[in-house]
Amino acid sequence: MEAATGSRRLLRRLRDVMAGSGTAQERLNEVVRIVAADMVAEVCSCYVMRAGEVLELFATEGLRPEAVHRTRLRVGEGLVGVVAATASPLALADAQSHPDFAYRPETGEEVYHSLMGVPILRGGRVLGVLVVQNRTQRNYTEDEIEALQTIAMVLAELAASGELVSPVELAPSNGIGLLPTRLDGVKLNAGLAIGVAVLHEPRVVIRQVVAEDPQAELVRLRAAIDAMQSAIDDLLAQSDIAAGGEHRDVLETYRMFAADRGWLQRMTDAVRSGLTAEAAVQKVQDETRARMSKVSDPYLRERLADLEDLASRLQQHLAGRHFAVEAALPSEFILIARSMGPAELLDYDRRRLKGLVLEEGSPTAHVAVVARALDIPVIGRAKDVLEKVEAGDLVVVDADEQQVFLRPSEDIQQAVAARLELRLGQRLSYAALRNLPATTRCGTCVALQLNAGLLLDLPHLDDTGAEGVGLFRTELLFMMRHDFPTVSQQASIYRRVLEHAGERPVTFRTLDIGGDKLLPYMAEIEDENPAMGWRAIRIGLDRPALLRQQLRALIRAAAGRRLRVMFPMIAEIGELDAARAMLDLELERAGARGGSLPAKIEVGIMFEVPALFWELPQLLSRIDFLSVGTNDLVQFLFAADRGNPRLAERYDPVSVPVLQLLSEVARACDAAKVPLTLCGEMAGQPLDAMALIGIGFRTLSMAPASIGPVKAMVRSLELAPLEALLAGLATLPPRTLRGKLHDFARDHAVAL
Ligand code: PEP
Ligand code: MG
């Protein structure tokens, strides 16, 4: 309490100085004098960032006055430069023995041993560094570091005002920021888009750091927290979310965090120390960000990210705005964020959102999963994009080429417009095929189905004209959550999928976690080769409760309907038998409880592990369908990690070994009269799909955007010459057949 009173008194004094008369330089001189006295330090100095990333000594109490405006350090140079480069505080009892200590004779600082420096931050940018020094080897406490950080917040206002250095120097990246810029990143979802930049966390400009009336600020903070909590409640009550689904689960967690006592207490304490409500939220948010940079545990990182998102929401409430200001959004925009949660992406108007650029982000990030369902291009790991972009800039997201253009030049804009027009034309022609059958010119029907995994994917069933869901990856909805869904939560989602599909078949694949699909709430699996490790059915059989619950939920959801269950990564028949026994037991139990059972049950497996090939004869008599997962099958056949970019182009699935194996699988299924599907990425590439049809596949399941192009290919295809070409597979050259198939398509007018 005493500390809070002292801090309030100091902040009030500083505020009076800031509001007083005199030039900016005079006010800064006064601030360093007061801080030195208050912190019982012999030195207090303020360095301000100048153009060219140079920190200039602007004011000092204690160092030699002639060093002011003479001593300059580059970012990263000396301890002051390190504070700026890392944007984090530094406290050293013996500063001179630190390897980064840079001695500047004009300052006369050789007599001071201890040093504490904090960055002067605003909107995530470093505007300067505030330092105190002591003659003795003083160990600065956490409280003292915090107090200096709070003072730095006050100084940030002065540094950003343009009174110390000209506003031109304050422009981001010191001038280069306004030039056209190209950034490299990682493709998280393919595509191309152009639009106006919208920053996901609009930087809240805090106009006042020191509270006039701390009591009133506490009331404002409390009111904003209430408003935020009830806005989250309102969102949860909205009809499309109330029914359940991925969006709801994430919001539920938000609701829980929004009531987190520790978090609320830290903000309340910051207000009690004399800050305004906005400055208090900012302070806690900065601390969270600093903690995030040190945490590597993915679960903790996600929790901290949630808290950061909530802080942003809270700032919007304090500013009197609701979180997503729909009306203010441009008609076509590109969203730019450090990282974001899937629910937040869904907050934005999907019709206007054209692309997403993340400073962080990996292909398995949940937001990337949602973006794929929304079919917008996404680039991740775009380094420093937030520093380089300004809200309102024109931005091109070229995910196909893994790059982002900020403020693109006229010729780039024209080239992008031409590519977009071409794509639009193609899309329109594919859309025109929607209600036409996927039948070859010679009259063979090919069933085209959809790969899905979120409720968000379901509208694509209607807009693509797909014949059903060939692969529903149930793990996606587990990945979107923060804890295991209960049986009834799962059942309600599966039921909605079935309801939406109506008469169209849906193949539910049981959980395929492990490998690259990790659940943040499941203990980390430490496999050396995760793709070949403890994953999919192996986890299902070793942790029977998990699989049993899922089967129970599927049975419940499909009451009175057709239920298709598919087990992933089956490597030997015994695994299928064990999984099937679990399903039978659950059916028996459901029957004994008097519940209504599915009208029909079909059980299938994914053929992903090569060893299973030699068990096909016995296997086929036990299953109702077989689906080939070439993403995994091909990686195991070539011993080539599917996620390794260096190997991405090395082995081609359209090659003799793969097609030879698949044609034999097709023949065996045909002879045993077991329906066969293929649901790996191959199915969605027109040329690859053509080869598959040529060796006997008649059902293909693929991503929504592939249905149109594959259907166009099928409708232009004449089967006999293709079959003739592929019949002599064994004698064809061993490497890729891609060139040969391209020639075939050109000679036979097949639309690729
Ligand atoms: C596959 O392996 O081809 C497949 C469809 O499964 P996933 O991509 O989900 O591993
Ligand atoms: Mg697979």
Side-chain angles (χ1 to χ4, degrees), residues 172-173 177-178 181 183 196-199 203 334 336-337 359 384-395 404-407:
S173 310
L178 296 176
T181 305
L183 298 175
V196 173
V198 167
L199 306 189
R203 288 179 203 122
I334 306 289
I336 319 267
E359 215 165 273
D384 297 334
V385 62
L386 279 172
E387 240 176 63
K388 294 182 174 148
V389 74
E390 293 278 296
D393 280 348
L394 197 61
V395 176
V404 181
F405 294 93
L406 307 178
R407 303 168 289 274

Side-chain angles (χ1 to χ4, degrees), residues 503-680:
E503 290 302 303
R504 294 167 289 198
V506 177
T507 305
F508 288 101
R509 178 175 74 181
T510 61
L511 271 182
D512 182 5
I513 42 177
D516 61 341
K517 295 175 221 163
L518 297 176
L519 303 184
Y521 43 90
M522 204 167 153
E524 224 173 307
I525 304 168
E526 288 180 4
D527 278 332
E528 270 199 31
N529 286 312
M532 297 197 279
W534 196 53
R535 60 173 281 207
I537 197 68
R538 301 167 185 183
I539 297 183
L541 296 177
D542 293 355
R543 289 268 182 90
L546 206 60
L547 182 54
R548 237 180 246 142
Q549 286 185 6
Q550 184 171 37
L551 294 171
R552 205 174 306 153
L554 286 167
I555 292 168
R556 210 180 275 178
R561 299 171 195 264
R562 175 181 182 189
L563 173 62
R564 286 168 65 83
V565 179
M566 174 157 80
F567 297 112
M569 284 284 290
I570 296 285
E572 51 174 38
I573 287 183
E575 290 171 343
L576 165 68
D577 290 346
R580 184 166 203 137
M582 273 184 175
L583 177 65
D584 290 342
L585 186 67
E586 286 309 321
L587 279 166
E588 208 180 292
R589 284 185 177 159
R593 276 196 295 268
S596 151
L597 296 179
K600 183 177 183 202
I601 296 190
E602 291 153 72
V603 176
I605 60 131
M606 294 222 28
F607 178 56
E608 295 167 291
V609 181
L612 205 56
F613 177 71
W614 289 274
E615 290 196 81
L616 274 184
Q618 303 94 302
L619 176 81
L620 291 175
S621 63
R622 289 163 145 92
I623 53 177
D624 301 305
F625 63 93
L626 182 136
S627 188
V628 182
T630 41
N631 303 342
D632 276 311
L633 182 66
V634 171
Q635 81 164 340
F636 298 137
L637 272 183
F638 287 118
D641 182 348
R642 67 193 250 191
N644 186 334
R646 278 203 214 144
L647 303 180
E649 307 278 311
R650 200 167 182 119
Y651 306 101
D652 195 342
V654 185
S655 58
V656 174
V658 178
L659 294 185
Q660 185 89 25
L661 172 67
L662 294 183
S663 72
E664 290 191 30
V665 172
R667 216 168 338 185
C669 287
D670 197 34
K673 305 222 170 335
V674 171
L676 170 69
T677 315
L678 190 140
C679 60

Side-chain angles (χ1 to χ4, degrees), residues 123-180:
R125 286 178 53 209
V126 178
L127 300 184
V129 175
L130 182 64
V131 177
V132 296
Q133 290 173 276
N134 279 80
R135 230 179 258 276
T136 54
Q137 294 206 350
R138 173 166 165 190
N139 286 306
Y140 299 100
T141 64
E142 282 291 322
D143 283 350
E144 285 171 326
I145 298 173
E146 277 204 13
L148 199 64
Q149 280 176 304
T150 307
I151 296 164
M153 285 178 81
V154 180
L155 281 178
E157 304 312 298
L158 185 62
S161 67
E163 292 175 81
L164 291 172
V165 295
S166 88
V168 178
E169 282 193 51
L170 290 170
S173 310
N174 304 310
I176 57 158
L178 296 176
L179 297 171

Side-chain angles (χ1 to χ4, degrees), residues 291-508:
R291 271 163 62 205
M292 259 170 81
S293 65
K294 296 194 188 98
V295 171
S296 60
D297 179 83
Y299 180 75
L300 279 182
R301 276 186 78 90
E302 275 202 35
R303 297 295 65 71
L304 288 169
D306 281 339
L307 283 182
E308 187 168 1
D309 297 337
L310 282 170
S312 301
R313 282 176 189 248
L314 199 48
Q315 288 289 17
Q316 306 300 323
H317 284 287
L318 280 167
R321 285 180 249 158
H322 188 267
F323 184 64
V325 198
E326 294 288 334
L329 289 175
S331 59
E332 300 200 326
F333 70 93
I334 306 289
L335 196 57
I336 319 267
R338 190 180 310 280
S339 68
M340 72 193 297
E344 293 172 288
L345 185 63
L346 295 170
D347 267 344
Y348 290 90
D349 180 349
R350 290 170 220 172
R351 284 158 306 173
R352 298 191 234 180
L353 174 62
K354 298 294 165 198
L356 174 66
V357 181
L358 301 172
E359 215 165 273
E360 299 173 358
S362 71
T364 49
H366 302 168
V367 68
V369 175
V370 170
R372 254 168 253 152
L374 297 180
D375 196 20
I376 55 167
V378 187
I379 287 279
R381 314 230 185 105
K383 198 165 175 289
D384 297 334
V385 62
L386 279 172
E387 240 176 63
K388 294 182 174 148
V389 74
E390 293 278 296
D393 280 348
L394 197 61
V395 176
V396 169
V397 184
D398 188 351
D400 297 339
E401 299 297 328
Q402 316 217 70
Q403 55 193 5
V404 181
F405 294 93
L406 307 178
R407 303 168 289 274
S409 59
E410 199 60 41
D411 53 339
I412 288 184
Q413 287 181 43
Q414 275 171 11
V416 169
R419 277 170 65 198
L420 283 172
E421 194 158 332
L422 194 73
R423 283 170 192 230
L424 182 67
Q426 279 170 341
R427 272 194 187 217
L428 289 176
S429 68
Y430 296 143
L433 299 179
R434 201 187 83 125
N435 296 319
L436 298 176
T439 307
T440 61
R441 275 165 49 199
C442 45
T444 301
C445 292
V446 180
L448 304 186
Q449 301 186 332
L450 208 66
N451 289 351
L454 298 176
L455 294 173
L456 272 176
D457 291 318
L458 297 179
H460 295 310
L461 257 182
D462 310 311
D463 54 51
T464 61
E467 294 185 21
V469 178
L471 167 65
F472 192 88
R473 292 181 162 107
T474 56
E475 62 275 6
L476 296 192
L477 57 101
F478 280 70
M479 284 163 62
M480 302 280 288
R481 297 175 51 97
H482 295 97
D483 53 4
F484 283 109
T486 62
V487 173
S488 53
Q489 282 168 335
Q490 287 187 59
S492 109
I493 292 175
Y494 303 149
R495 195 172 299 118
R496 286 176 71 191
V497 176
L498 288 169
E499 273 163 11
H500 192 113
E503 290 302 303
R504 294 167 289 198
V506 177
T507 305
F508 288 101

